[in-house]
């Protein structure tokens, strides 16, 4: 009896289970509809918006500008204009008593600004994006983010040396990586990003990525690949004196990639939607100009009678271009100000926020060819293409005549206000000659590259340290208390004082691999020439 009841019970329960399953099947056909709030965005809808917003925040901080989200022109001023732009020889501060970054007296409030902006904005956005994209199949989005992260953060390591990089996002007090480790990771990240994007483009030839958010290329992955290849070439060349084998290997990946490099001004990495370059505000509304055209720019633009000179800078009241020498001790800057008309202000209305242009890439290819690498052409041809691309970008005429000039040399610097004149920094000519030795042609390439990438002070300062070219006018006074060699000039930026309290343990790891004292005269890892 019990056995029969048990058997019947099992059958009944089984039937009930089947019925319940059938019932649930009917219900679950509409489960998503019943349980979805039609007025609330789904995760699939939200993720692209979050990713796009965070990606755009990263783009806005590659070169800082007033972007309507809280970043100001003054952030650019203290992060770049009073630091890299000054040390690159592009501009000269005309404020205070003259004892400032221009005279090698490092102002922590200025020199820490890049660090603060990059970590609080760029790396914070990247870490948030990486966290939200974890597990996503949209690897092409993170590939773009990795490219922008490298483009932004290589400025930081090129300022300071060893910096937090691999551990950012995993700790509130991250350890520092040596600069060699940072560079190797950045090159690896570019390798991976390029591979992901090339596979994506092959599989999706007409697709866009974050098109509604991308300020630079409108979501065009092919342009991003070419930009990433160009960035890899830039970073590879940076380490040539520290690790020549690594430099050549990484450079030739880009030089011979079938997807190509940036090879025309239509492919320049330019931030869209910017109504003015911060230098405009600095020169028009900041104390009647806080910075002026530098003495070194004066020497090269005037000496070559460069057709770009009044596109790059406004003429003074006498119709000529006059710069200001760094390191002048002064209590009255009015004679040096734009309002006085005696010196030339950067022609800021002409500038765009440019991360990288075709001219720079041609000069990188010229240097690669000069070094005997597999560059796909001759150093002379790439050099001349670089000058031509720069003239086209600036809207200048006469590139062919300029390139044939074998006699013009940089001019001596004449201080039209005071007594800070200086001899010409170099005797390098414009016309390329295959019969000249390696260093002469390298100086020629680097001098024209320096002119062509203006006003990208970060890149210009890094390259002048790496190659020692172009030769720059030294400051009138050296206020570094012996920490900076006047002729070698500034080699790096000391760490922010705030790191001593905010991340003392991490700072100690950075100091242990810096290779010298934490001052502006210590060379970086790649600064081996």
């Amino acid at each position: 009896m019990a056995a029969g009841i048990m058997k019947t019970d099992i059958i009944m329960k089984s039937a009930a289970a089947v019925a319940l399953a059938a019932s649930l099947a009917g219900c679950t056909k509409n489960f998503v509809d019943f349980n979805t709030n039609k007025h609330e965005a789904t995760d699939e809808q939200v993720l692209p918006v979050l990713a796009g917003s965070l990606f755009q925040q990263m783009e806005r901080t590659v070169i800082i500008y007033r972007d309507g989200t809280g970043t100001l022109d003054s952030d650019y001023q203290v992060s770049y204009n009073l630091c890299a732009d000054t040390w690159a020889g592009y501009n000269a501060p005309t404020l205070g008593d003259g004892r400032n970054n221009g005279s090698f007296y490092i102002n922590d409030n200025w020199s820490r600004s890049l660090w603060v902006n990059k970590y609080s904005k760029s790396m914070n956005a990247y870490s948030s994006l990486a966290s939200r994209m974890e597990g996503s199949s949209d690897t092409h989005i993170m590939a773009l983010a990795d490219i922008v992260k490298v483009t932004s953060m290589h400025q930081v390591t090129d300022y300071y040396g060893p910096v937090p990089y691999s551990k950012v996002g995993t700790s509130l007090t991250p350890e520092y990586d040596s600069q060699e480790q940072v560079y190797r990771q950045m090159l690896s990240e570019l390798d991976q990003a390029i591979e992901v994007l090339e596979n994506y483009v092959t599989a999706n030839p007409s697709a866009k990525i974050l098109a509604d958010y991308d300020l630079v290329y409108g979501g065009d992955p092919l342009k991003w690949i070419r930009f990433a290849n160009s960035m890899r070439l830039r970073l590879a060349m940076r380490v040539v004196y520290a690790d020549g084998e690594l430099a050549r290997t990484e450079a030739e990946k880009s030089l011979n990639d079938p997807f190509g490099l940036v090879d025309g001004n239509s492919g320049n990495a330019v931030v869209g939607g910017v109504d003015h370059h911060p230098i405009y505000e600095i020169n028009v509304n900041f104390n009647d100009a806080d910075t002026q055209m530098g003495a070194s720019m004066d020497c090269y633009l005037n000496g070559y009678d460069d057709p770009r000179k009044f596109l790059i800078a406004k003429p003074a009241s006498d119709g000529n271009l006059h710069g200001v020498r760094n390191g002048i001790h002064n209590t009255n800057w009015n004679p040096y100000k734009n309002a006085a008309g005696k010196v030339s202000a950067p022609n800021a209305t002409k500038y765009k926020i440019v991360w990288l242009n075709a001219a720079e890439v041609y000069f990188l290819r010229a240097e690669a060819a000069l070094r005997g690498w597999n560059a796909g052409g001759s150093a002379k041809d790439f050099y001349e293409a670089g000058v031509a691309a720069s003239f086209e970008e600036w809207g200048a005429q006469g590139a062919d005549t300029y390139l044939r000039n074998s006699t013009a040399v940089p001019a001596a610097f004449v201080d039209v206000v005071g007594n800070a004149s200086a001899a010409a920094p170099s005797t390098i000519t414009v016309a390329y000659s295959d019969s000249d030795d390696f260093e002469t042609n390298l100086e020629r390439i680097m001098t024209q590259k320096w002119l062509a990438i203006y006003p990208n002070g970060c890149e210009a300062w890094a390259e002048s340290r790496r190659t020692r070219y172009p030769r720059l006018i030294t400051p009138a006074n050296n206020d570094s208390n012996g920490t900076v060699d006047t002729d070698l000039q500034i080699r790096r930026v000391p760490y922010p004082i705030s790191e001593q309290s905010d991340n003392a343990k991490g700072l100690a790891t950075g100091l242990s691999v810096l290779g010298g004292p934490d001052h502006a005269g210590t060379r970086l890892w790649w600064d081996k020439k």
Side-chain angles (χ1 to χ4, degrees):
M1 187 72 169
I5 295 173
M6 184 178 294
K7 184 175 181 181
T8 303
D9 189 46
I10 292 172
I11 293 173
M12 291 177 67
K13 287 182 178 179
S14 297
V18 171
L20 178 61
S23 174
L24 286 175
C27 292
T28 55
K29 284 194 299 183
N30 299 313
F31 181 81
V32 173
D33 290 337
F34 291 151
N35 291 276
T36 299
N37 183 344
K38 292 183 172 60
H39 303 288
E40 183 177 280
T42 65
D43 288 345
E44 289 182 353
Q45 293 170 323
V46 168
L47 185 57
V49 176
L50 285 172
S53 298
L54 291 167
F55 177 74
Q56 189 175 103
Q57 181 178 329
M58 292 178 64
E59 287 186 314
R60 291 178 186 277
T61 52
V62 169
I63 294 179
I64 299 163
Y65 63 97
R66 189 172 73 192
D67 61 4
T69 67
T71 302
L72 304 174
D73 291 315
S74 56
D75 292 315
Y76 175 94
Q77 181 187 31
V78 293
S79 294
Y80 298 104
N81 194 240
L82 297 172
C83 294
D85 294 357
T86 295
W87 301 322
Y90 281 162
N91 300 135
T94 47
L95 72 174
D97 63 0
R99 291 170 174 81
N100 52 46
N101 284 359
S103 68
F104 305 160
Y105 184 86
I106 304 301
N107 183 321
D108 179 70
N109 287 330
W110 299 352
S111 61
R112 70 188 292 269
S113 179
L114 187 83
W115 181 287
V116 172
N117 276 294
K118 294 293 187 178
Y119 283 109
S120 66
K121 296 177 181 177
S122 184
M123 285 302 280
N124 185 51
Y126 177 83
S127 297
S128 297
L129 179 57
S131 175
R132 285 166 170 78
M133 295 298 296
E134 188 172 0
S136 170
S137 61
D138 294 332
T139 55
H140 49 282
I141 292 178
M142 283 311 300
L144 290 192
D146 284 333
I147 294 167
V148 176
K149 179 183 75 166
V150 170
T151 305
S152 188
M153 292 302 293
H154 86 277
Q155 298 171 14
V156 182
T157 187
D158 288 347
Y159 257 49
Y160 304 95
V163 294
Y165 193 73
S166 65
K167 301 294 193 301
V168 173
T170 65
S171 169
L172 293 176
T173 55
E175 295 180 4
Y176 290 33
D177 298 292
S178 71
Q179 188 174 52
E180 179 179 5
Q181 290 172 323
V182 174
Y183 259 82
R184 287 185 179 276
Q185 182 172 334
M186 290 191 300
L187 288 166
S188 176
E189 287 168 339
L190 288 175
D191 289 347
Q192 294 171 25
I194 290 167
E195 181 179 4
V196 168
L197 291 180
E198 289 182 347
N199 289 337
Y200 181 80
V201 168
T202 300
N204 307 277
S206 61
K208 302 289 185 181
I209 307 172
L210 301 178
D212 292 337
Y213 302 92
D214 179 10
L215 299 172
V216 178
Y217 289 126
D220 186 333
L222 183 56
K223 287 187 175 181
W224 275 106
I225 291 169
R226 291 170 178 164
F227 171 73
N229 271 323
S230 302
M231 276 300 303
R232 181 167 58 185
L233 180 57
R234 175 195 279 184
L235 298 192
M237 199 63 76
R238 185 85 86 246
V239 307
V240 68
Y241 291 109
D243 191 330
E245 182 178 351
L246 175 65
R248 181 168 186 165
T249 298
E250 291 295 325
E252 288 186 345
K253 288 179 186 177
S254 291
L255 290 165
N256 299 290
D257 189 290
F259 283 81
L261 298 140
V262 172
D263 61 359
N265 288 318
S266 62
N268 291 353
V270 180
V271 181
V274 181
D275 62 358
H276 70 274
H277 194 286
I279 293 178
Y280 173 81
E281 190 75 7
I282 293 166
N283 278 276
V284 172
N285 294 323
F286 285 14
N287 304 312
D288 292 326
D290 277 353
T291 188
Q292 303 293 350
M293 184 58 56
S296 295
M297 289 291 279
D298 173 327
C299 296
Y300 287 95
L301 292 174
N302 280 325
Y304 296 146
D305 193 19
D306 196 307
R308 294 166 291 183
K309 70 179 179 179
F310 290 131
L311 298 169
I312 290 174
K314 299 174 184 177
S317 58
D318 63 3
N320 296 313
L321 186 148
H322 299 299
V324 177
R325 189 174 180 183
N326 278 318
I328 296 173
H329 289 169
N330 203 1
T331 56
N332 178 18
W333 289 106
N334 287 332
Y336 284 101
K337 297 286 188 176
N338 298 164
K342 294 182 180 296
V343 295
S344 298
N347 196 3
T349 55
K350 296 285 186 182
Y351 308 151
K352 301 175 182 177
I353 305 295
V354 181
W355 298 352
L356 175 144
N357 59 18
E360 178 187 344
V361 180
Y362 281 124
F363 290 122
L364 286 166
R365 296 168 79 176
E367 182 180 351
L370 182 66
R371 293 184 180 280
W373 299 354
N374 184 12
S378 72
K380 181 176 186 292
D381 287 347
F382 286 135
Y383 169 81
E384 293 181 349
V387 172
S390 177
F391 272 57
E392 179 188 73
E393 184 181 9
W394 282 100
Q397 304 298 314
D400 290 342
T401 301
Y402 182 81
L403 283 165
R404 290 195 299 269
N405 194 328
S406 60
T407 58
V409 296
F413 172 66
V414 178
D415 185 348
V416 296
V417 176
N419 58 359
S421 298
S426 174
T427 58
I428 195 68
T429 54
V430 175
Y432 195 96
S433 173
D434 287 318
S435 63
D436 285 337
D437 62 27
F438 176 89
E439 285 298 323
T440 299
N441 276 329
L442 180 61
E443 180 179 1
R444 186 168 282 128
I445 290 168
M446 298 310 299
T447 299
Q448 289 301 321
K449 179 179 179 180
W450 176 76
L451 291 169
I453 65 175
Y454 180 84
N456 189 346
C458 275
E459 192 57 25
W461 180 43
E463 289 292 80
S464 72
R465 286 175 288 161
R466 175 178 73 88
T467 65
R468 307 292 177 84
Y469 305 126
R471 302 177 193 271
L472 302 175
I473 297 291
T474 57
N477 290 284
N478 182 337
D479 294 318
S480 70
N481 292 321
T483 60
V484 179
D485 183 290
T486 300
D487 293 326
L488 290 178
Q489 305 200 41
I490 297 275
R491 308 314 291 178
R492 63 176 289 273
V493 179
Y495 292 119
I497 294 173
S498 58
E499 279 292 278
Q500 297 173 12
S501 56
D502 294 347
N503 187 15
K505 188 175 180 180
L507 176 61
T509 64
L511 294 173
S512 70
V513 291
L514 177 58
D518 183 21
H519 60 52
T522 294
R523 294 190 189 185
L524 303 183
W525 165 71
W526 48 251
D527 185 5
K528 291 292 196 297
K529 186 175 181 184

